[in-house]
């Protein structure tokens, strides 16, 4: 089959790779209809997540049709249209049984790599390096889906492909940011990042009863989309004193919940000493979220791409009594509910699919996604059909 691979030259190219096969009884093979870019991939492409090897297939947000099922798969039949959660969890370990599939003990093909990086193995993810799963990604004609009964969900007939696609990753991540960030009715919530995850965090906060939701970003096109599609207010950080504005919007206290959904990597080392030690600073958005948050509030970190950083404002966390949390998305916990909301038209996500490309042009899709974030929110690849190039979905 054809797939978008990482090459030895550190670039992306569509290559012929072996078709995936069932390896375990709980596996199934999905024929991909849609597969989207994600900000996480940009950290990989910038070389900040070691462990990608030439020939590895990228992509983790996808939807498709069931082509083949293993003998132990109960919930899916050949021909079902399914959305597959980007993270891979077993559904049976100590963590999965406690509703924390993002912490799954059995989700990774190389648990030792996760242990070396984070102290513990964590759930896997399609199209990521070994520490984060080591499963072939979805920018391909076909994907092997392990633990199919746990990670794949039948899409209600009334929900279109471009909407259901985001139940794979962006919507559960965004929902989790608002949910585990402990958004309560009446809260003021600030979200850094107006990309797909940031917008869906904002929408989730609204649906959970937040009184005001404010999205902060530097890209006017994304901010406009956030206003139009999530009902949030927006702040353009290029022209605004963000901390002062947020305080003004929240009765002088600061937002109750601050969610960092910027994605991408840590800042480059600044000083000569930092360059020698390879030390990177915590992303600006994270530091700003900690400073903006009201005393006793919660800061939720959705971006794991920064890996290890310094210059994290520990003092502010202590003196203001903040709760700082983070998580990889707990897909299974949210995806069925999100699909229900999509079917009820309460949650609309198709506007996030700003550009469509046939798989052959996937590398161009990434370039657009990386270099024109204002214009391209998510490039969506269609390995089995070729809608006219760069179509914008109708409103
Ligand atoms: Zn992602
Ligand atoms: Zn598990």
């Amino acid at each position: 089959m054809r797939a978008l691979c990482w090459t030895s030259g550190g670039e992306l190219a569509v290559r012929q790779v072996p078709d995936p096969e069932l390896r375990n009884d709980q596996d199934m093979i999905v024929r991909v209809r849609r597969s989207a870019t994600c900000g996480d991939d940009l950290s990989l492409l910038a070389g900040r997540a070691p462990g990608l090897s030439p020939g590895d297939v990228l992509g983790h947000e996808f939807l498709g049709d069931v082509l083949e099922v293993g003998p132990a798969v109960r919930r899916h039949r050949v021909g079902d249209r399914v959305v597959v959660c980007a993270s891979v969890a077993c559904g049976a370990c100590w963590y999965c049984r406690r509703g924390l599939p993002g912490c799954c003990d059995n989700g990774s093909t190389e648990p030792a790599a996760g242990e070396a990086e984070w102290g513990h193995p964590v759930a896997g993810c399609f199209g990521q390096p070994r520490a984060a799963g080591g499963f072939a990604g979805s920018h391909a004609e076909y994907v092997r889906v392990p633990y199919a009964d746990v990670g794949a969900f039948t899409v209600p007939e009334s929900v279109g492909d471009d909407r259901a696609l985001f139940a794979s990753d962006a919507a559960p991540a965004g929902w989790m940011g608002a949910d585990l960030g402990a958004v309560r009715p009446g809260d003021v919530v600030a979200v850094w990042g107006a990309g797909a995850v940031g917008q869906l965090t904002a929408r989730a906060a609204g649906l959970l009863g937040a009184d005001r939701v404010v999205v902060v970003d530097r890209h006017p096109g994304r901010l406009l989309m956030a206003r139009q599609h999530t009902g949030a207010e927006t702040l353009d950080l290029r022209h605004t004193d963000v901390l002062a504005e947020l305080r003004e919007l929240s009765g002088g206290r600061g937002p109750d919940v601050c969610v960092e959904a910027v994605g991408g990597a840590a800042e480059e080392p600044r000083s000569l000493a930092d360059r020698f030690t390879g030390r990177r600073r915590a992303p600006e958005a994270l530091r700003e979220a900690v400073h903006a948050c009201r005393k006793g509030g919660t800061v939720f970190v959705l971006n794991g791409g920064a890996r290890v950083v310094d210059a994290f404002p520990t003092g502010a966390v202590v003196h203001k009594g903040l709760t700082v949390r983070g998580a990889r998305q707990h897909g299974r916990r949210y995806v069925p509910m999100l699909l229900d909301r999509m079917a009820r038209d309460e949650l609309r996500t198709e506007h996030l699919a700003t550009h469509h490309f046939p798989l052959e042009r996937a590398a161009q899709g990434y370039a657009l996604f990386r270099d024109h974030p204002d214009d391209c929110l998510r490039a969506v690849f269609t390995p089995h059909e070729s809608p006219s190039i760069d179509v914008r979905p109708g409103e």
Side-chain angles (χ1 to χ4, degrees):
M1 67 165 182
R2 293 162 308 127
L4 183 72
C5 300
W6 178 253
T7 67
S8 48
E11 289 179 343
L12 296 175
V14 174
R15 295 266 191 271
Q16 199 68 28
V17 300
D19 283 353
E21 289 174 354
L22 298 176
R23 282 192 213 161
N24 298 302
D25 289 356
Q26 297 158 289
D27 286 358
M28 70 185 188
I29 306 293
V30 167
R31 180 181 187 271
V32 178
R33 280 175 181 245
R34 297 272 193 283
S35 182
T37 58
C38 172
D40 279 355
D41 300 332
L42 296 182
S43 319
L44 298 183
L45 298 178
R48 297 207 175 88
L52 276 187
S53 310
D56 282 356
V57 180
L58 279 119
H60 56 264
E61 183 154 57
F62 67 107
L63 159 139
D65 301 296
V66 177
L67 189 74
E68 208 182 334
V69 294
V73 174
R74 298 280 170 267
R75 293 176 47 215
H76 302 291
R77 269 184 279 179
V78 171
D80 285 356
R81 187 172 60 122
V82 293
V83 63
V84 179
C85 178
S87 68
V88 177
C90 76
C93 71
W94 193 91
Y95 291 100
C96 283
R97 280 186 277 117
R98 280 160 183 77
L100 300 169
C103 303
C104 178
D105 271 337
N106 305 316
S108 172
T109 55
E110 285 198 43
E115 234 172 285
E117 169 118 26
W118 302 299
H120 289 81
V122 297
C125 181
F126 294 91
Q128 296 267 321
R130 289 170 299 136
F135 295 98
S138 57
H139 297 334
E141 290 181 85
Y142 308 98
V143 188
R144 176 173 79 96
V145 176
Y147 306 118
D149 280 343
V150 179
F153 302 86
T154 302
V155 178
E157 211 165 303
S158 62
V159 182
D161 287 355
D162 274 343
R163 182 177 292 192
L165 169 63
F166 297 103
S168 168
D169 190 27
W175 195 278
M176 181 183 70
D179 179 34
L180 300 188
V183 171
R184 309 239 181 286
D187 275 356
V188 176
V189 178
V191 180
W192 276 258
V197 175
Q199 288 192 30
L200 293 175
T201 306
R203 180 69 184 128
L207 287 167
L208 288 169
D211 193 30
R212 296 185 89 158
V213 183
V214 188
V215 176
V216 182
D217 202 304
R218 62 172 71 250
H219 298 289
R222 291 187 165 202
L223 290 170
L224 176 67
M225 250 195 221
R227 282 197 297 280
Q228 284 173 338
H229 296 279
T230 73
E233 301 163 63
T234 59
L235 294 178
D236 185 334
L237 62 86
R238 297 169 313 157
H239 312 299
T240 322
D241 180 341
V242 173
L243 294 183
E245 262 325 297
L246 287 175
R247 200 169 267 229
E248 181 79 27
L249 289 166
S250 55
R253 285 188 300 274
D256 303 284
V257 180
C258 293
V259 181
E260 182 271 346
V262 174
E267 288 177 26
E268 291 301 324
R270 297 236 172 131
S271 67
L272 195 59
D274 283 352
R275 278 208 290 279
F276 273 115
T277 58
R279 193 160 59 189
R280 296 172 188 281
R281 286 158 62 85
E284 177 102 42
L286 178 55
R287 281 180 279 133
E288 202 165 64
V290 168
H291 281 287
C293 194
R294 76 153 163 81
K295 290 177 280 185
T298 301
V299 174
F300 199 90
V301 187
L302 280 168
N303 169 27
R307 303 185 71 222
V308 178
V309 294
D310 279 322
F312 181 79
T314 318
V317 173
V318 173
H319 292 292
K320 298 204 297 178
L322 301 181
T323 301
V324 180
R325 292 190 79 172
R328 290 164 72 87
Q329 59 123 321
H330 297 306
R332 186 176 166 64
R333 180 158 158 182
Y334 300 114
V335 178
M337 172 273 292
L338 294 166
L339 287 171
D340 276 355
R341 288 183 191 267
M342 287 175 172
R344 290 203 300 270
D345 215 25
E346 212 175 88
L347 184 63
R348 298 187 200 130
T349 53
E350 53 274 24
H351 68 281
L352 304 171
T354 49
H355 296 75
H356 293 78
F357 291 88
L359 186 63
E360 278 66 27
R361 293 187 56 207
Q364 277 169 278
Y366 266 102
L368 188 73
F369 177 58
R370 185 193 59 213
D371 301 334
H372 302 280
D374 207 11
D375 181 42
C376 180
L377 208 69
R378 279 281 195 265
V380 174
F381 308 133
T382 53
H384 290 282
E385 48 180 308
S386 303
S388 55
I389 311 304
D390 304 355
V391 224
R392 286 207 169 252
E395 290 293 314

